[in-house]
Amino acid sequence: MFMEVSTHKMLLLKNLQISFNDEQVLKGINLTVNKGDVVTLIGPSGTGKTTLLRCINYLEKPDDGEITLGDVHLDYKSIRKKDILKIRRKTAMVFQQYNLFKHKTVIENVMEAQMVVQKKSKKAAYEKSMEELEKVGLIDKINAYPSQLSGGQQQRVSIARALAVEPEVILFDEPTSALDPELVGEVLKVIEAVAKSGITIVLVTHEMSFAQNISTKVVFMDKGKIVEEGTPTEIFNQSSNERTREFLNQFYTRKN
Amino acid sequence: MDITFMLEILPQFLSVLPITLLIIVVSTICGFLLSVLVVAIRIKKVRLLNPIMGMYISFTRSTPILLQLFLIYYGLPVVLALMGIHINDMNPTTASIITLIIYNGAYMSEVVRPAYLAVERGQHEAADSLGFSPFKKLYRIIIPQVAPIALPGLGNAIIYLIHDTSLIFAIGVVDIMGLANIIISSNYGMNQIEIYLLIAIIYWIVSMLSEQMIKYLERRKQRLPYNGSTKEVA
Ligand SMILES: Nc1ncnc2c1ncn2[C@@H]1O[C@H](COP(=O)(O)OP(=O)(O)OP(=O)(O)O)[C@@H](O)[C@H]1O
Ligand SMILES: [Mg+2]
């Protein structure tokens, strides 16, 4: 058997731009993500990493640019309502603050989009949800409400909720930065398993060693632009770009 | 205290109870629908209409309802005549219902709006990110969280509405209060206390029943173990 070398393009951004209050926050982002890639976005605070993820999920409306997501190609200048749902249904976001549906139990949270958006039967949604909740180790909490769970548990549920709709790309925005330090590990372990399962991931994180371990590609952003991208080794160990090195140095000095 | 007299006149009051209840029910339902419309306009910041809604709410909430009742009853026909629509007799019941709807639309909107705004943005975004249509998001995710926050306030609004109906006799509606005044004057002012006591009890019962109805809705909706913070509503 041959190992499939995946060069199939999953997500393509071309010249993506967005401004808030006349201030350009993303200044023409070009990004290619292949199927099965784990792309990590790093960079200083306020650089536009979150904004970029939100644009991919269309939680923010880019002013200009194009996106290709699987078999959907769209120009942001001429996007229609129908297209928005299409894009959103191919992507799922894991938020920094989890954002679980507060009025629903763990299992209901994971079932909801499957039933409402994907129109699956209750039984099918339940079975899929149990499968995903098993992966994140929360089978014993299915009837709990979000408010009864720790932050780490809530984030694992939100990962299960995202996985359950079988998105083509999962977007993680600093998924561990709202967690108490002792809960970070359990969530990173789950994300690592997701990465290994071959799902395409775009991740924003400040956990540099984690990024180094799981990424197939690291993208360094600064002031609304992509400064440099490459393999983890290229970025973390061999970068000759001054801004990249400055950021990483500063990061490690701050950490230690 | 003449209990037999109270029992004697009770059937008369029961006969005007339906009109009172009709006014209450129609004003509650239409007032609520109006409040939802007002909230939608204010939250979407619809141009032109948004500032008008702000003025409407401010005016309605800061003038006595009795005055509004007179303005609608005597003023509305004049305004309509200016627009070329002539109504010879403004029906007092209609005028009352219009006034109460307008009043409640404003009052309830100030209950619904903060309740809607209390649902975090993250809840909207989670639904959006999963590809919920706007309607499905509202119906499945947002309303079920707005309802338990809004219901106690809406319950209060209904109780106030019930009490406010006791003013509409002033333009000649023969509801419970209107009948009380008719009986008292035809009785040369005798047994006043008994009559007022009797209708107080009727208002009490009607208020209590509607309170129970709201409580029932709250119990049905509120299956979430909120930490209690959402129960207290302005
Ligand atoms: N909805 C918005 N309205 C106005 N300005 C915004 C909005 N969203 C983001 N910004 C601005 O855009 C810039 C980029 O923000 P963003 O959150 O994407 O940065 P980030 O790289 O994720 O930073 P961090 O590492 O701190 O999370 C910031 O200056 C921010 O203030
Ligand atoms: Mg961010």
Side-chain angles (χ1 to χ4, degrees):
Chain A
M1 246 197 5
F2 291 97
M3 280 291 281
E4 193 191 343
V5 182
S6 102
T7 49
H8 174 60
K9 290 186 179 32
M10 179 58 91
L11 170 68
L12 232 122
L13 298 177
K14 216 172 119 190
N15 189 32
L16 188 150
Q17 299 181 27
I18 188 169
S19 302
F20 295 114
N21 318 318
D22 290 336
E23 198 198 316
Q24 198 168 29
V25 168
L26 293 177
K27 304 167 180 166
I29 299 288
N30 296 297
L31 182 68
T32 306
V33 179
N34 291 327
K35 192 169 192 303
D37 260 357
V38 177
V39 174
T40 305
L41 307 178
I42 59 170
S45 182
T47 278
K49 305 178 299 292
T50 297
T51 307
L52 179 56
L53 282 193
R54 291 170 61 85
C55 283
I56 297 173
N57 197 208
Y58 210 81
L59 288 176
E60 304 290 352
K61 183 190 180 324
D63 303 321
D64 201 358
E66 290 166 50
I67 180 171
T68 310
L69 189 56
D71 54 1
V72 178
H73 174 86
L74 293 169
D75 189 327
Y76 285 125
K77 282 219 158 129
S78 58
I79 202 160
R80 292 163 307 171
K81 282 219 172 82
K82 209 173 61 196
D83 301 327
I84 298 172
L85 292 186
K86 242 191 223 164
I87 289 218
R88 286 180 173 162
R89 283 168 192 179
K90 285 175 174 290
T91 53
M93 182 88 134
V94 173
F95 298 89
Q96 202 172 339
Q97 301 292 344
Y98 340 123
N99 292 351
L100 291 178
F101 301 133
K102 291 186 172 171
H103 61 305
K104 295 194 176 287
T105 60
V106 166
I107 187 87
E108 287 169 347
N109 260 279
V110 185
M111 288 168 69
E112 183 70 11
Q114 295 180 65
M115 286 160 55
V116 173
V117 178
Q118 300 184 323
K119 309 268 191 294
K120 278 194 201 168
S121 73
K122 198 165 184 171
K123 185 164 175 288
Y126 180 84
E127 282 165 6
K128 176 75 179 165
S129 302
M130 290 301 277
E131 201 179 293
E132 298 303 341
L133 285 168
E134 175 132 47
K135 283 187 201 161
V136 302
L138 284 172
I139 285 295
D140 55 331
K141 294 285 184 196
I142 59 169
N143 291 320
Y145 282 94
S147 58
Q148 299 166 317
L149 300 178
S150 74
Q153 290 169 331
Q154 289 189 57
Q155 194 57 298
R156 279 146 63 200
V157 175
S158 97
I159 294 171
R161 178 175 71 175
L163 288 170
V165 293
E166 300 182 325
E168 299 191 2
V169 181
I170 295 201
L171 311 163
F172 290 91
D173 185 16
E174 298 195 36
T176 57
S177 64
L179 297 175
D180 292 339
E182 73 272 18
L183 300 176
V184 169
E186 64 184 64
V187 174
L188 292 184
K189 234 174 78 189
V190 167
I191 298 174
E192 190 176 359
V194 175
K196 290 213 169 109
S197 73
I199 294 170
T200 312
I201 292 177
V202 182
L203 164 78
V204 175
T205 187
H206 286 302
E207 302 282 339
M208 291 302 159
S209 52
F210 180 68
Q212 197 159 3
N213 285 337
I214 69 156
S215 310
T216 57
K217 177 152 122 181
V218 177
V219 174
F220 174 65
M221 286 177 69
D222 192 17
K223 302 198 178 80
K225 281 188 182 145
I226 291 179
V227 175
E228 192 182 12
E229 56 179 84
T231 63
T233 315
E234 281 166 353
I235 299 296
F236 286 107
N237 305 329
Q238 300 166 353
S239 174
S240 56
N241 185 294
E242 202 177 313
R243 277 198 281 169
T244 310
R245 293 179 62 155
E246 195 186 324
F247 169 72
L248 289 173
N249 281 339
Q250 180 194 353
F251 194 86
Y252 284 119
T253 24
R254 207 192 308 147
K255 267 261 152 154
N256 302 330
Chain B
M1 185 71 67
D2 191 343
I3 304 276
T4 24
F5 175 75
M6 283 166 76
L7 288 175
E8 252 167 48
I9 57 167
L10 180 63
Q12 275 179 277
F13 281 104
L14 292 182
S15 74
V16 294
L17 193 56
I19 183 72
T20 310
L21 291 179
L22 179 79
I23 292 170
I24 290 169
V25 169
V26 172
S27 313
T28 300
I29 292 172
C30 297
F32 175 71
L33 293 177
L34 176 62
S35 79
V36 171
L37 186 73
V38 171
V39 171
I41 289 171
R42 298 198 74 190
I43 283 175
K44 293 261 176 208
K45 297 203 166 61
V46 179
R47 264 182 339 130
L48 238 68
L49 287 179
N50 187 25
I52 295 177
M53 291 305 126
M55 267 171 52
Y56 152 55
I57 291 169
S58 160
F59 178 82
T60 312
R61 283 166 49 97
S62 350
T63 50
I65 186 164
L66 188 61
L67 192 57
Q68 293 171 31
L69 191 62
F70 288 149
L71 279 174
I72 295 287
Y73 184 55
Y74 298 109
L76 191 60
V78 178
V79 173
L80 287 177
L82 286 177
M83 291 161 60
I85 307 165
H86 293 276
I87 35 173
N88 297 332
D89 275 322
M90 183 69 161
N91 179 324
T93 307
T94 312
S96 306
I97 289 177
I98 293 173
T99 309
L100 290 170
I101 289 173
I102 290 175
Y103 185 79
N104 258 269
Y107 191 91
M108 285 180 166
S109 81
E110 293 293 87
V111 174
V112 174
R113 195 166 71 115
Y116 177 87
L117 293 176
V119 177
E120 292 160 27
R121 235 179 110 69
Q123 297 290 306
H124 291 262
E125 294 190 339
D128 285 339
S129 79
L130 290 162
F132 281 62
S133 67
F135 174 77
K136 283 277 165 63
K137 173 178 79 173
L138 200 63
Y139 183 68
R140 300 279 311 189
I141 306 299
I142 306 305
I143 291 176
Q145 296 187 63
V146 172
I149 307 175
L151 274 173
L154 291 177
N156 282 339
I158 294 172
I159 306 261
Y160 293 143
L161 172 72
I162 292 169
H163 298 168
D164 287 338
T165 59
S166 67
L167 296 171
I168 62 179
F169 78 92
I171 56 170
V173 179
V174 185
D175 69 330
I176 295 174
M177 197 69 173
L179 181 68
N181 281 303
I182 291 171
I183 295 177
I184 287 168
S185 58
S186 69
N187 230 3
Y188 310 110
M190 288 193 319
N191 299 106
Q192 255 195 49
I193 304 289
E194 280 88 347
I195 292 169
Y196 285 139
L197 187 60
L198 181 66
I199 64 173
I201 292 170
I202 295 175
Y203 276 115
W204 184 31
I205 291 171
V206 172
S207 298
M208 222 172 52
L209 288 178
S210 29
E211 213 173 339
Q212 289 309 314
M213 251 163 55
I214 290 284
K215 287 253 166 66
Y216 170 75
L217 284 177
E218 273 174 51
R219 273 197 301 274
R220 271 194 41 183
K221 290 273 177 197
Q222 204 160 36
R223 40 198 279 280
L224 58 169
Y226 268 142
N227 41 32
S229 60
T230 50
K231 279 195 172 170
E232 32 175 311
V233 152

